Amino acid sequence: NIADSLYVIEEGNVGIGTTSPGAKLDVYEATGNGVQIKAGDAITDKSLSVGSAGTPDKFVVQAGGNVGIGTNSPDVKLHLKGTDIRLRLQENTSNVTAVTNDMEGLELSMLGVSGIGRYTPMLKFMSADTSFTTKNPKLLAYVTGISEASYITDTGGKMGLSFGTSPIVATGVPVERMRIDGDGNVTIKAPTASGGGVLNLENTTDAVNGTDW
């Protein structure tokens, strides 16, 4: 050992801060910092890459801060790629009876909403099919919050939900089709300026369409 801090055992495992390393490199620190890794200044330089003998780069952290799982070239802060991609958020508690600010879930937040008509981060539905778009990925539909009064105090402000979809001939970004305002009122927008049916009630049991409104 070197100054009683670095150990190499017969199996070839190396321990830093431990006399019984359980892996090829085992780092232990009871207090203070653990491992610090630095890479080059280029944002695509790999600070950390974790893989297997047959598949390198299963988990990659780039110097610019992007993290890739299933890809070695993440384009965003967290980029998941594969054939069966599911992101699970599971809370250990159960039987929650009230909505609170700190309850678990998918959180989309931004620094401020200080005016009317300001959008929160979107839940976006995208396509990466290059056969029909040069925008990769292309935004096809969305759900987003939109402010109806300025959030300048903890008890102030007003927030609604906007739902956007793409028509058959879609250009640019999706069009807002429905909004639920902060008071619970629902507005469904007609697909054309002259109006037209925007709400259809269907009898799914008998497979009979209802009336368009």
Side-chain angles (χ1 to χ4, degrees):
N1 67 73
I2 301 175
D4 294 328
S5 60
L6 177 66
Y7 296 85
V8 181
I9 61 176
E10 293 181 359
E11 291 80 0
N13 293 352
V14 177
I16 300 176
T18 175
T19 60
S20 55
K24 289 301 180 183
L25 177 61
D26 193 338
V27 180
Y28 174 79
E29 174 58 53
T31 60
N33 297 325
V35 178
Q36 179 172 295
I37 301 175
K38 293 184 178 181
D41 291 329
I43 60 175
T44 57
D45 287 344
K46 296 176 185 176
S47 295
L48 176 65
S49 175
V50 179
S52 64
T55 308
D57 297 335
K58 289 185 176 181
F59 174 83
V60 170
V61 180
Q62 291 183 332
N66 289 356
V67 176
I69 300 177
T71 175
N72 62 4
S73 55
D75 297 323
V76 292
K77 288 302 180 185
L78 178 59
H79 187 165
L80 284 70
K81 184 178 181 180
T83 56
D84 185 18
I85 297 299
R86 286 177 286 179
L87 182 62
R88 176 176 296 175
L89 306 176
Q90 182 171 337
E91 166 63 17
N92 289 330
T93 59
S94 60
N95 300 320
V96 177
T97 59
V99 175
T100 63
N101 189 63
D102 58 352
M103 66 192 306
E104 302 300 324
L106 179 63
E107 182 177 318
L108 304 175
S109 63
M110 64 193 313
L111 290 180
V113 185
S114 57
I116 298 174
R118 303 296 196 269
Y119 290 97
T120 68
M122 288 182 175
L123 177 60
K124 301 194 290 186
F125 302 89
M126 317 283 286
S127 174
D129 187 348
T130 57
S131 65
F132 78 93
T133 178
T134 57
K135 298 180 182 297
N136 188 10
K138 180 178 176 62
L139 177 61
L140 302 179
Y142 68 80
V143 179
T144 184
I146 182 169
S147 62
E148 297 167 347
S150 296
Y151 277 82
I152 56 176
T153 66
D154 190 46
T155 56
K158 187 177 181 182
M159 183 64 63
L161 281 178
S162 171
F163 298 79
T165 61
S166 295
I168 294 177
V169 181
T171 58
V173 298
V175 179
E176 184 185 48
R177 298 302 187 188
M178 184 176 76
R179 184 179 295 190
I180 304 175
D181 69 18
D183 296 318
N185 300 317
V186 179
T187 300
I188 302 177
K189 300 186 177 182
T192 63
S194 59
V198 294
L199 179 63
N200 180 273
L201 302 181
E202 180 177 329
N203 185 334
T204 56
T205 303
D206 298 327
V208 176
N209 285 335
T211 303
D212 289 341
W213 282 276

